[in-house]
Amino acid sequence: MQPFTTLTSTPAPLKVINVDTDMIIPKQYLKTIKRTGLGTALFSEMRYKEDGSENPDFVLNQPAYRKSEILVAGDNFGCGSSREHAPWALLDFGIRCVISTSFADIFYNNCFKNGILPIVVSQEDLDKLFDDADRGSNATLTVDLVNQSIKGPDGGEVRFEIDPFRKHCLLNGLDDIGLTMEKSSKIDAYEEKLKSRAWA
């Protein structure tokens, strides 16, 4: 998993509340178990028209936001079913950070396991970040995980809280497998010990 330390990007404003995981990645794309290739299907029902052409009104289709790595979203982001394909699709598109006032628990946990930083802020701070995001390519945000801050284009700063263990995992690029591999020497020693116990 790619470590997350600091990230500077033009933020994309998605002013929609209750964005569920079916909106993030519709059910017809859930047949794959690969974590790659889902970026083109991200928000597909909003990004594309019925004929398959792009919807120019959707934020991620607009020139300023096509390469956004930060998504500023409405309340209760990631609700609905527990599909892990939702963070896979966000990450494959290039989004490494989602900022909202609240997240559904399972989606929130899945983000950390896939290298995405979900940040919870107050409504007042979210409104400020939406204002920054509305400025398009004229404004960038810098997310600093080490110092737990979001710096705006005009020097303003928003602080955020994060669980210390989750912060450690993101900073070091550790998913569940990576955490297990950190204990590989102890695992090897235990397996060697078992070899000497014929009854085991």
Side-chain angles (χ1 to χ4, degrees):
M1 192 170 77
Q2 183 181 350
F4 190 115
T5 52
T6 60
L7 175 66
T8 298
S9 172
T10 299
L14 185 64
K15 298 179 181 180
V16 181
I17 62 170
N18 302 322
V19 172
D20 65 31
T21 52
D22 191 53
M23 293 169 69
I24 298 171
I25 183 73
K27 61 185 178 301
Q28 62 266 32
Y29 299 102
L30 304 184
K31 297 174 184 177
T32 182
I33 56 171
K34 294 181 180 179
R35 298 187 183 199
T36 57
L38 292 172
T40 56
L42 178 70
F43 298 119
S44 66
E45 293 180 355
M46 292 186 280
R47 276 173 73 192
Y48 306 110
K49 297 179 180 179
E50 288 186 8
D51 63 3
S53 63
E54 288 188 350
N55 172 9
D57 296 328
F58 185 66
V59 62
L60 295 179
N61 290 336
Q62 296 168 12
Y65 305 113
R66 282 185 176 274
K67 295 185 178 180
S68 291
E69 297 178 76
I70 299 171
L71 186 66
V72 182
D75 189 56
N76 194 30
F77 190 86
C79 57
S81 67
S82 60
R83 63 190 70 172
E84 195 169 2
H85 292 68
W88 292 356
L90 287 164
L91 190 62
D92 194 59
F93 180 86
I95 292 171
R96 298 283 323 273
C97 177
V98 183
I99 304 170
S100 181
T101 49
S102 70
F103 295 90
D105 286 345
I106 294 175
F107 174 83
Y108 185 77
N109 292 329
N110 282 339
C111 281
F112 285 106
K113 292 181 179 182
N114 288 280
I116 296 173
L117 173 60
I119 297 176
V120 177
V121 297
S122 68
Q123 185 62 56
E124 180 182 0
D125 285 336
L126 188 73
D127 290 340
K128 293 176 186 175
L129 296 170
F130 270 137
D131 287 341
D132 290 333
D134 282 338
R135 292 161 61 179
S137 56
N138 295 320
T140 59
L141 296 180
T142 296
V143 177
D144 182 343
L145 178 55
V146 175
N147 295 302
Q148 296 175 211
S149 69
I150 306 167
K151 293 182 181 176
D154 300 319
E157 184 177 74
V158 171
R159 306 285 299 178
F160 63 90
E161 298 298 320
I162 184 172
D163 175 79
F165 176 72
R166 286 173 165 157
K167 179 179 178 178
H168 166 79
C169 290
L170 277 180
L171 286 172
N172 293 282
L174 296 171
D175 57 11
D176 289 347
I177 294 173
L179 285 167
T180 301
M181 294 309 295
E182 279 194 319
K183 297 177 173 61
S184 59
S185 60
K186 292 182 178 180
I187 294 169
D188 291 342
Y190 178 75
E191 289 180 343
E192 283 299 318
K193 184 178 178 181
L194 284 182
K195 289 179 182 178
S196 65
R197 298 160 66 186
W199 52 266

